[in-house]
Amino acid sequence: MVTAFVMIKANTGEADRLKENIAEIEGVESAHIVAGDVDIIAKARVETPAAVKEIAATRIQGIQGVEDTQTYIAMD
């Protein structure tokens, strides 16, 4: 299994809606609104790095209101 954390910047006022949309994506275990440089952090657990790419680059970035993402794959 591959565990990844996706840092998401949201348009102003969109964090609550985006959190709900992101949490519904298959492979996303959790999504949390946070304080700091990003607005939401999502945790994904999937079978392959390609599945991480599908979630982050296609599914999450495809949601209207997402400004930017950064993805970190856990090494342990």
Side-chain angles (χ1 to χ4, degrees):
M1 292 295 285
V2 178
T3 301
F5 298 91
V6 184
M7 311 299 154
I8 302 143
K9 287 193 177 193
N11 288 339
T12 303
E14 296 282 348
D16 289 322
R17 179 185 62 82
L18 291 175
K19 176 190 167 226
E20 297 303 320
N21 290 350
I22 291 164
E24 293 174 356
I25 296 172
E26 185 176 344
V28 172
E29 283 191 345
S30 61
H32 304 275
I33 296 173
V34 297
D37 293 336
V38 298
D39 301 298
I40 301 167
I41 297 176
K43 179 182 179 184
R45 277 188 54 83
V46 292
E47 293 293 325
T48 66
V52 172
K53 180 181 179 227
E54 170 67 21
I55 287 172
T58 303
R59 304 288 306 275
I60 292 175
Q61 287 184 7
I63 299 171
Q64 185 174 357
V66 171
E67 287 184 5
D68 192 28
T69 63
Q70 292 182 332
T71 304
Y72 300 89
I73 295 178
M75 301 302 287
D76 63 350

